[in-house]
Amino acid sequence: MSRRLPPLNALRSFAAAADAGSFTKASEVLFVTQGAVSRQVKQLETWLGKPLFLRTPQGIALTDAGRRLATTIDVAFAQIETTADAIKLSSQRQMLKINLPPTFATRWLVPRLAAFRKVYPGIDFSFTTDPAHSVRELKNADAAVVFSDREWPHCEIRRLCLEQHVLVASPTLWTDDLPPRLEDCTLLHILDGDVRIPVWERWCQAHGITHVDTRAGLAFSTLDQVINATVNATGVAIVDKAMVQPELQSGTLRRLNRLTSEGPYGYWFVTLTQDAEKRACVQLFHDWISD
């Protein structure tokens, strides 16, 4: 059945202008020029045979016809949005298998996961934290976040971010509001498998620190363990600022100084699945954690 409907682009431009009260602001919302919005509105007015806006030196205002049309468009667009959401919710659910570093999973992902699920309720996840140093070790995953100091070869990989290192300790180690001296503290280290990551060596080299024995201290298998040990005043640690933001805000951890250093380790996103529908969902997940 044929319908005599106004041009859709003209309706979109009119709705944006009516909502913003300005052709210029509407053009910013629609990512087009102000002239394009004005022409689309003029086309709609010609199609209807009635003016929709009063144009004055102070701006624009809706006419009676414009107000009637704006109300109708709001209702129609709301109905379309509701129907589209219902279609999305009724579509076949997707299960994504994602492998993540343990600390990234517990400290970065989990606190934000509810927000993602609210927007994309049709995407389910199976998360694992198995150690992985190559694509071969991720053969059962649809995607992964990997902790590395370099791009992996022979795979679809994108860097998310580099670590931003800060020096932290429990505030109980302060004396008269003075931070503890590094040479008097236990240094806390992070392991990559059986090998200690040389975070302390790089930090001291970057900041010209020569009086600290970086060979001494305690080593843990995950950054999360290092952070927990630091909170409990076991020693001092160099950690990724993003992973201790809650502790810094609550005051359970405190920075010893304002020094920072970047990388070379960071988090990388690897897309593994070749299934078209899963790849679309993986892209949504990547875009979300990239923000």
Side-chain angles (χ1 to χ4, degrees), residues 187-252:
L187 307 189
L188 305 182
H189 303 272
I190 308 164
L191 295 171
D192 182 10
D194 295 329
V195 180
R196 201 180 71 186
I197 300 176
V199 176
W200 276 101
E201 288 80 358
R202 290 179 177 135
W203 174 274
C204 290
Q205 183 178 9
H207 299 295
I209 299 172
T210 59
H211 61 283
V212 175
D213 182 5
T214 59
R215 298 168 298 176
L218 307 176
F220 298 84
S221 62
T222 69
L223 176 59
D224 197 41
Q225 293 170 349
V226 168
I227 293 171
N228 290 333
T230 310
V231 169
N232 286 282
T234 306
V236 297
I238 298 166
V239 297
D240 182 11
K241 183 180 178 182
M243 298 301 158
V244 292
Q245 203 59 45
E247 286 80 6
L248 291 175
Q249 291 176 349
S250 68
T252 54

Side-chain angles (χ1 to χ4, degrees), residues 50 99 116 175 221 230 245 275:
K50 289 183 178 294
N99 195 74
F116 181 88
T175 303
S221 62
T230 310
Q245 203 59 45
D275 179 270

